[in-house]
Amino acid sequence: MKKPKKIAIVIVAGLFVYLSLYTWNLRTGHLDALSSHTGLDIASLVIRPGQWVLEKATDFWERYIHLVGLKQQNDDLARENARLVRKNMILAAEARSAERLERLLGFTPPDHWEFSGARVVAHRMGPTGSLATLAVDRGGASGVSADMPVVSLDGVVGRVLRAGAVASTVLLLTDANSRIAIIGEHNRTPGMLAGQGYGEPLTVHFMNLNAVIDPGELLLTSGLSGIFPKGLPVARVVRVRRSDISLFLTVEAEPLVDVAGLEEVLLLHQAPEAPDGPEAAQTKEPGPKPAHAPGTTAREEAAGVPEH
Amino acid sequence: MFPSTNIVALLWWSAYTAAAIWLHRTVPGVDLLAPGIVLSLQEDGGRRTVWLGLAWMLIIEGTGNLPFGYGLAWYGVLVALFLLGRSVFEARSLVFMALLGLALGALHPVITHSLASLAELTVDGRRLLLEGALQAAFFPIVWVIADKCYPRMLRQDVKHL
């Protein structure tokens, strides 16, 4: 057989095998799962020891050597703590009142969720890291699965894109492929929040021209997509424009979370159905619950994600 | 019994992989394992390169967020370009490495855009071009550094006269 013919056959055969593998993987996801359970986990295991050393060195420097502004920071924290305690008391009273009203109106209480902490191992990495993502040190072994909501103390961060055994990839809300069903805090106008890339404002789709939405209004998860629980803060409206050619408003919003500076996140998962009774009623008390993954205690969880 | 050269090779390539993973964390969008494939082809031969390629393919696919397929196309084209280019250029010349880097720099946006289109994902085109430029710049530099650090006892090539 002549050489050019041989090369052509090799190229065609290679393309055929490649496309077959690609199509098979799109249908089954086996190769994606394999790479998540090997490549992502290995990378996470390689990064963690170095990250630990780096954090310890930084911590040592900041705690024992670089003490500039410590007194000022301490005073500020004491003031902030006093303010938060007062706010917490008011919110707890409001929450109890809301629960009573809900019961009064006969609303079915929403499924309650549990939080588990995770440390950010890396942000976008490698040549195939084309989407705005971050890697966290919790995976399938800790009960993490795809589409699990990810939040921080400031608001929604995104959702789990892929889960390995000991690490997962989180798609950030700023990515152009992220979509979150939202509702305005005051005017209760629903819409679909989409990212436009890091550093770009978020945009709200499908908000009717006659809908009421104000700049500065907080956008909350509506719970309609079935991924996020209802009522989590996501973003704040920064600009509302009416278009002459579109049936929808042009709404821009800014995320509440600084995704570039995230070091720890919370993974939300639905708690198993609790039996009815006084203890069950206690678990329905609103507010963040002690963060721990299934199969681990809160103490173990706290040890996994140290405070900074 | 495992020959000592194999143990040294295992340690060296493990260290290279760990360093590259850390650099991937720092410079997203750039593959610093690719120069290792070329170095392995030059120094180790086919069998070890296949194992390294498979492991690294899983790493770049696992740490990334595109559907599986980038690594196979990326390393497949790299190996094909190296084998074809070897018949035209001196296999260990810096010019050849720079040209391979340029080819990879052009290839990165093409493969990423194709895979993203197939999966109906939106990716930032300008950022892909920038990553391609970085890939082209990093490839020969990383190859030179890796080549200089490669253990002498593992070398199978003959030095230039």
Side-chain angles (χ1 to χ4, degrees):
Chain A
M1 199 183 292
K2 286 177 183 173
K3 204 175 179 185
K5 202 174 176 184
K6 212 174 182 178
I7 292 170
I9 288 171
V10 167
I11 291 172
V12 171
L15 270 175
F16 179 76
V17 170
Y18 178 78
L19 289 173
S20 304
L21 270 175
Y22 181 84
T23 314
W24 176 68
N25 176 60
L26 266 192
R27 286 187 176 194
T28 61
H30 287 330
L31 293 175
D32 283 334
L34 176 72
S35 60
S36 295
H37 281 80
T38 50
L40 180 60
D41 289 344
I42 289 168
S44 157
L45 293 173
V46 167
I47 287 170
R48 269 192 246 176
Q51 199 179 28
W52 183 82
V53 171
L54 196 69
E55 277 173 11
K56 288 291 168 196
T58 313
D59 198 37
F60 180 79
W61 170 261
E62 284 175 356
R63 271 173 188 269
Y64 302 109
I65 299 170
H66 189 70
L67 299 174
V68 180
L70 196 66
K71 176 74 173 70
Q72 176 68 33
Q73 194 184 20
N74 202 26
D75 293 344
D76 289 347
L77 285 173
R79 268 198 296 279
E80 179 71 6
N81 186 40
R83 192 183 66 77
L84 287 174
V85 168
R86 282 199 299 278
K87 193 176 172 185
N88 192 33
M89 282 166 63
I90 297 164
L91 287 176
E94 280 178 1
R96 281 193 293 274
S97 149
E99 199 189 5
R100 280 199 306 277
L101 286 170
E102 260 188 14
R103 211 179 298 130
L104 204 68
L105 291 167
F107 283 162
T108 310
D111 294 334
H112 62 281
W113 295 70
E114 286 182 349
F115 300 81
S116 62
R119 184 201 296 261
V120 175
V121 178
H123 284 253
R124 211 163 60 79
M125 65 184 287
T128 56
S130 300
L131 313 182
T133 53
L134 47 85
V136 295
D137 67 346
R138 290 292 163 117
S142 307
V144 178
S145 57
D147 286 339
M148 201 175 252
V150 182
V151 301
S152 76
L153 295 177
D154 296 321
V156 170
V157 172
R159 64 184 169 85
V160 174
L161 185 68
R162 281 187 202 168
V166 294
S168 305
T169 308
V170 176
L171 181 72
L172 298 173
L173 81 163
T174 51
D175 186 78
N177 302 285
S178 162
R179 301 283 184 276
I180 300 173
I182 49 93
I183 191 165
E185 185 190 26
H186 299 304
N187 298 305
R188 314 307 284 177
T189 309
M192 184 67 77
L193 188 73
Q196 297 191 100
Y198 179 69
E200 298 292 324
L202 305 172
T203 180
V204 183
H205 296 305
F206 313 126
M207 228 171 225
N208 287 330
L209 271 181
N210 57 355
V212 186
I213 187 89
D214 302 318
E217 187 169 351
L218 202 61
L219 300 175
L220 312 172
T221 52
S222 68
L224 291 176
S225 62
I227 292 177
F228 292 92
K230 190 176 178 178
L232 294 175
V234 190
R236 192 176 293 283
V237 176
V238 289
R239 190 180 299 167
V240 180
R241 276 181 292 164
R242 287 176 194 281
S243 168
D244 293 334
I245 52 168
S246 171
L247 293 172
F248 301 105
L249 290 173
T250 306
V251 181
E252 286 181 356
E254 59 180 6
L256 299 176
V257 179
D258 173 23
V259 290
L262 279 174
E263 290 181 39
E264 287 98 23
V265 292
L266 294 167
L267 301 160
L268 268 63
H269 51 94
Q270 280 187 308
E273 283 294 317
D276 289 336
E279 285 181 7
Q282 273 184 349
T283 60
K284 284 171 186 169
E285 193 75 32
K289 289 168 71 74
H292 61 93
T296 59
T297 64
R299 189 181 294 272
E300 285 168 350
E301 199 65 37
V305 184
E307 287 178 12
H308 285 270
Chain B
M1 187 79 181
F2 221 51
S4 62
T5 50
N6 280 354
I7 294 169
V8 174
L10 183 71
L11 288 174
W12 197 86
W13 285 117
S14 300
Y16 179 87
T17 307
I21 288 173
W22 265 91
L23 286 168
H24 280 184
R25 187 174 177 267
T26 318
V27 196
V30 178
D31 182 19
L32 300 173
L33 293 164
I37 291 280
V38 173
L39 185 63
S40 175
L41 278 171
Q42 289 166 336
E43 301 291 351
D44 298 331
R47 188 179 289 178
R48 189 174 288 163
T49 308
V50 168
W51 284 112
L52 284 173
L54 281 174
W56 291 349
M57 201 187 298
L58 288 173
I59 286 174
I60 63 167
E61 294 283 3
T63 52
N65 39 46
L66 291 175
F68 195 94
Y70 181 97
L72 202 58
W74 180 246
Y75 289 141
V77 172
L78 173 62
V79 171
L81 286 176
F82 176 78
L83 295 178
L84 284 174
R86 202 169 55 171
S87 55
V88 181
F89 299 96
E90 158 63 39
R92 301 180 55 81
S93 76
L94 191 59
V95 175
F96 182 35
M97 292 304 120
L99 286 173
L100 271 181
L102 281 174
L104 287 182
L107 190 66
H108 172 70
V110 173
I111 299 182
T112 307
H113 188 75
S114 308
L115 282 173
S117 303
L118 283 170
E120 295 179 5
L121 293 169
T122 308
V123 288
D124 186 348
R126 276 179 306 174
R127 199 178 63 196
L128 286 183
L129 291 175
L130 178 69
E131 288 170 359
L134 283 173
Q135 179 71 56
F138 270 105
F139 185 86
I141 297 170
V142 174
W143 177 81
V144 167
I145 295 170
D147 187 48
K148 296 281 179 205
C149 299
Y150 197 74
R152 191 170 290 178
M153 67 182 291
L154 297 177
R155 286 194 182 275
Q156 292 178 13
D157 59 319
V158 179
K159 287 251 177 214
H160 295 292
L161 291 173

